[in-house]
Amino acid sequence: MDLLAQARIKGVQSEFVDALGKLRVTDPVALKTILDALPEKRVYRFVSGPVVVRALANPRTELVTTGTAPLRWKVTGNGNLIAQGETREPVLAWPAALPLGYHRLTLTDAAGVTEEVPMIVAPERAFGGDFDRGWLLAVQLYSVRSNRNWGIGDFTDLAGLVRLAKQLGADGVGLNPLHVLFDDQPSDCSPYSPNSRLFLNPLYIDVEAIPEFSADLIPDAAATAARLREGDRVPYADMAALKWLGLRAAFDSFLTKASGVRRNQFDAFRAARAPLLSRFACFEVLRHRFNAPWWEWPPEWQQPDETKCAELRSGRAKRDVEFVEFVQWTADAQLQAAKELAVELGMRVGLYLDVAVGVQSNGFDAWNEQMAISRHLAVGAPPDVLNTVGQDWGLAGFNAGGLEAQSFVPFADMLAASMRHAGAIRLDHVLGLKRLYLVPRGFKPDNGAYVEMPFEALLGAVARESAAHKCIVIGEDLGTVPEGFRETMQDFGIWSYLVMMFERDNAGRFRNSDYYRPNALVTLNTHDLSTYAGWRSFSDLKMKRSLGLDPGENEQARWDALGMLDEILGQNGIHANDVYSVLAFLSRTPSRLLAVSLEDLLGVIDQPNIPGTIDEHPNWRQRLPVALDKIAAKIDLAALKAATRERSLPGGS
């Protein structure tokens, strides 16, 4: 079979017109690399692809053919027969009350031709929330200062943020991704480049809140922590060294001093999160043992093996495996406590968590799901006006064939882990549910190709997990998307993500408030954009030029933008242009959630992250200018309350 025929079967688009209007044709060698990295993709006879049944009235699935009639069908799940029947028409009429979940559909015609198809039974729509409009306080958790943390914002600080948000009238707190990174590479701190999206970053644990920890276990911890709290940037290496020392001491104490209740809770957590947790713990032990990417490990460990992992857990590495599980249990419990506090305070969202678009190829998820995630392909973007050579984000993503073969369970597991303690999540680069631009390792990003994803099936999985966890899902759909994409996304109940700085017409004028969609989260900016103070002061333009980056606009364009901002505010009867004035405008939009950046409320000038830089700018390292207990005093509470009064939670002070 030639390359183009293989590409058609695997949904690889090797020719496309980029944003610059140029026809891009993937190099044949690069195309072959992409095709070789993708698993086989089934071509179905009776249906067009994975079957998605939504809980509508009289749900039906159109057939490509019935073969030799009648066509018999049966739905199974977890080895059990769920439903069965037959049809002579080119349609399957489903019985009422099919159980929600991930099943297999077997189709057999009268001639004995049989095929098995992945099937998702999903609610009609994702969970939509039970409120009209509200707002969230958006924070980079690592940036939080307090007089007790160990040099990085932690889950106890998060509880303080929840109380602050309640005081301000917010419905929750929005956070940067909390995914686990690599414990032996603390300086690689981008929350969007995770080891795994299934587990939490232990550096956010408050060690002193662990019941078995006591100050005498690390006599100089208090003095060291005080030193680590100094300065404007998170000292990741030194902070991580102290925190891992504390976590190990807490674990050792747990082994000898834990109560029976605590031990039972630990065992229950391990059982509930099995087998993924035990497999992750084994992976971490092996990663430290071999000190190399998993594809360079001894052959018997290059793929997950339950028998081998059981031997590891019962051998000399038993305590090391349990330590990883203990750390994840602790992180989960502390995050859960913050969620429960938000519920107790009556917040209608609670925690709003960000989900990265992919994972590091040498991390756990890529090792654990080698069929559904290819380490040889990186998610990126083709050339455009701002990135004329394209982008390679260095992250491995899911692929269609591998997900279909496993009935989309790996994707569902990732969603469930992200929604576990969240009232809302944001899916970064949600366009990736429909197609991903993949760059083969060793090639430049302008030599990638678009690869189709099973859009409807992935939306069905999102809706199913969202409803199961009562978690709103926001899709980061910035920029140009294919025709009908947003409409389909909204039909499944997934909200849009609207950034005021981008909501402008062809002449650069800001859109009026009635332009914004109701089922959406609206915000002034993002962590990848200038803060409001930085934007008004032109500091972002100066910073990017100093780094050798094209800021995308000149001073005159910025002056024009400032004038157009005044114009849209004035049209809405707002005659000032401070951050509270902009928030008053955004608060009037019909969009059901508004995210307000804490950096903007505190007048921070420098943005958390500048895309296109690694060490040139202190990305993901900058601290807030004031400690948590001083934030309320630095905010104009009256102005904020006035700006957000149309959507504020009652009961704030």
Side-chain angles (χ1 to χ4, degrees):
M1 187 183 301
D2 63 30
L3 288 180
L4 293 181
Q6 291 182 53
R8 282 192 294 273
I9 292 173
K10 292 188 175 182
V12 179
Q13 184 181 351
S14 58
E15 294 186 10
F16 61 92
V17 177
D18 67 21
L20 304 173
K22 180 180 178 180
L23 176 65
R24 294 279 175 183
V25 180
T26 309
D27 176 87
V29 178
L31 177 59
K32 186 177 187 307
T33 303
I34 293 172
L35 293 171
D36 289 346
L38 294 173
E40 293 302 317
K41 191 171 185 298
R42 289 282 307 277
V43 178
Y44 302 107
R45 172 184 175 88
F46 299 113
V47 292
S48 58
V51 172
V52 179
V53 179
R54 298 168 70 183
L56 303 162
N58 305 314
R60 297 156 65 90
T61 297
E62 301 294 331
L63 297 171
V64 174
T65 176
T66 57
T68 304
L71 180 69
R72 298 189 306 277
W73 60 266
K74 66 176 181 179
V75 178
T76 56
N78 296 321
N80 299 316
L81 178 65
I82 294 173
Q84 61 184 337
E86 68 176 42
T87 182
R88 293 180 177 273
E89 304 299 323
V91 65
L92 294 177
W94 299 108
L98 280 175
L100 300 180
Y102 308 92
H103 311 310
R104 303 297 289 184
L105 169 65
T106 303
L107 300 166
T108 306
D109 73 0
V113 177
T114 297
E115 70 180 7
E116 191 176 90
V117 185
M119 177 177 179
I120 298 176
V121 182
E124 179 181 358
R125 297 170 65 81
F127 176 70
D130 52 4
F131 58 91
D132 178 20
R133 292 185 302 160
W135 70 276
L136 307 169
L137 185 66
V139 188
Q140 311 295 327
L141 183 56
Y142 61 82
S143 71
V144 177
R145 297 176 185 262
S146 67
N147 58 12
R148 42 140 301 278
N149 71 37
W150 284 17
I152 186 173
D154 59 28
F155 290 133
T156 294
D157 291 328
L158 175 56
L161 287 169
V162 169
R163 293 188 182 92
L164 173 65
K166 168 67 175 180
Q167 178 185 352
L168 300 178
D171 264 305
V173 175
L175 299 172
N176 53 283
L178 302 179
H179 309 313
V180 64
L181 305 180
F182 294 94
D183 60 357
D184 52 351
Q185 302 164 40
S187 295
D188 294 339
C189 56
S190 170
Y192 290 91
S193 297
N195 173 348
S196 170
R197 292 181 290 185
L198 298 169
F199 300 101
L200 297 169
N201 187 342
L203 296 182
Y204 292 126
I205 291 173
D206 175 3
V207 175
E208 292 180 296
I210 301 174
E212 292 78 23
F213 181 82
S214 59
D216 61 306
L217 294 175
I218 308 178
D220 59 347
T224 304
R227 176 176 57 79
L228 294 173
R229 290 194 290 269
E230 298 173 356
D232 296 329
R233 298 178 185 177
V234 177
Y236 276 100
D238 291 343
M239 175 275 299
L242 177 63
K243 190 149 287 194
W244 283 109
L245 189 66
L247 289 169
R248 180 63 75 170
F251 175 64
D252 290 343
S253 179
F254 172 84
L255 292 177
T256 58
K257 299 180 181 178
S259 67
V261 171
R262 286 271 291 165
R263 290 178 186 277
N264 290 338
Q265 291 172 341
F266 180 40
D267 290 341
F269 176 79
R270 295 164 76 192
R273 299 300 300 275
L276 288 173
L277 175 61
S278 58
R279 207 176 296 163
F280 171 69
C282 289
F283 174 83
E284 286 295 282
V285 170
L286 294 169
R287 192 171 62 80
H288 283 274
R289 175 183 294 181
F290 299 126
N291 194 30
W294 53 262
W295 54 87
E296 295 178 6
W297 292 358
E300 65 268 24
W301 288 116
Q302 288 182 12
Q303 292 200 6
D305 183 288
E306 284 304 313
T307 301
K308 295 288 293 180
C309 284
E311 292 174 1
L312 187 72
R313 291 194 299 269
S314 61
R316 290 185 295 109
K318 180 177 186 293
R319 289 291 181 242
D320 291 332
V321 172
E322 288 183 355
F323 173 62
V324 177
E325 296 171 327
F326 171 84
V327 167
Q328 284 301 316
W329 173 52
T330 301
D332 186 85
Q334 292 191 2
L335 183 59
Q336 181 179 355
K339 170 195 175 179
E340 290 174 349
L341 175 62
V343 172
E344 179 185 325
L345 294 176
M347 291 181 165
R348 295 172 293 184
V349 175
L351 302 182
Y352 161 52
L353 304 181
D354 218 348
V355 182
V357 68
V359 295
Q360 294 276 19
S361 61
N362 60 335
F364 170 71
D365 290 3
W367 175 75
N368 188 55
E369 296 294 351
Q370 293 176 43
M371 179 180 290
I373 300 175
S374 174
R375 69 177 178 88
H376 299 287
L377 303 174
V379 180
D384 59 24
V385 176
L386 295 179
N387 293 280
T388 56
V389 297
Q391 300 175 63
D392 179 344
W393 300 333
L395 300 172
F398 286 120
N399 64 66
L403 287 176
E404 288 182 24
Q406 299 178 75
S407 298
F408 301 95
V409 170
F411 181 68
D413 286 341
M414 182 275 292
L415 291 173
S418 301
M419 296 175 178
R420 185 174 169 83
H421 299 307
I425 63 168
R426 188 192 80 139
L427 296 178
D428 194 23
H429 190 61
V430 73
L431 177 59
L433 300 186
K434 183 173 180 63
R435 68 181 190 186
L436 284 172
Y437 184 78
L438 298 179
V439 181
R441 302 291 184 190
F443 289 83
K444 293 181 179 179
D446 62 353
N447 231 326
Y450 278 111
V451 180
E452 295 175 8
M453 296 292 286
F455 188 34
E456 187 182 20
L458 295 177
L459 291 177
V462 170
R464 186 260 185 267
E465 296 305 319
S466 167
H469 293 85
K470 296 191 180 304
C471 180
I472 295 165
V473 179
I474 295 141
E476 187 268 288
D477 55 347
L478 301 178
T480 303
V481 299
E483 185 176 353
F485 176 84
R486 289 191 177 93
E487 290 77 8
T488 303
M489 191 175 79
Q490 295 262 335
D491 182 55
F492 273 83
I494 299 174
W495 295 13
S496 281
Y497 183 69
L498 304 175
V499 178
M500 183 180 176
M501 287 299 179
F502 294 148
E503 295 301 325
R504 299 159 75 172
D505 65 18
N506 292 335
R509 293 184 294 264
F510 288 92
R511 308 280 191 183
N512 211 339
S513 58
D514 58 2
Y515 179 84
Y516 291 79
R517 290 182 288 281
N519 280 347
L521 179 141
V522 63
T523 183
L524 171 60
N525 47 27
T526 78
H527 54 257
D528 287 337
L529 297 176
S530 174
T531 63
Y532 187 64
W535 186 74
R536 289 207 67 89
S537 65
F538 295 56
S539 295
D540 59 321
L541 305 183
K542 298 170 188 173
M543 172 63 76
K544 288 180 180 177
R545 289 195 188 103
S546 73
L547 298 173
L549 300 174
D550 181 357
E553 63 180 309
N554 56 31
E555 276 75 7
Q556 185 57 52
R558 179 59 56 83
W559 281 116
D560 292 343
L562 290 169
M564 286 184 278
L565 176 63
D566 288 346
E567 181 181 341
I568 196 64
L569 294 176
Q571 289 176 17
N572 286 269
I574 302 170
H575 301 296
N577 56 24
D578 60 6
V579 69
Y580 300 104
S581 301
V582 178
L583 294 178
F585 168 80
L586 290 173
S587 190
R588 296 178 187 179
T589 67
S591 297
R592 293 177 60 196
L593 278 175
L594 163 65
V596 178
S597 163
L598 187 51
E599 286 98 343
D600 282 338
L601 293 179
L602 294 174
V604 173
I605 290 177
D606 205 3
Q607 65 198 66
N609 178 58
I610 296 181
T613 65
I614 299 177
D615 297 320
E616 302 91 331
H617 180 264
N619 296 333
W620 316 117
R621 292 170 170 80
Q622 296 175 144
R623 286 176 166 145
L624 293 172
V626 296
L628 178 58
D629 61 344
K630 302 293 193 301
I631 288 176
K634 294 293 184 179
I635 295 174
D636 187 336
L637 296 180
L640 178 60
K641 290 294 181 67
T644 58
R645 66 177 177 271
E646 295 187 40
R647 54 174 72 226
S648 277
L649 185 68
S653 58

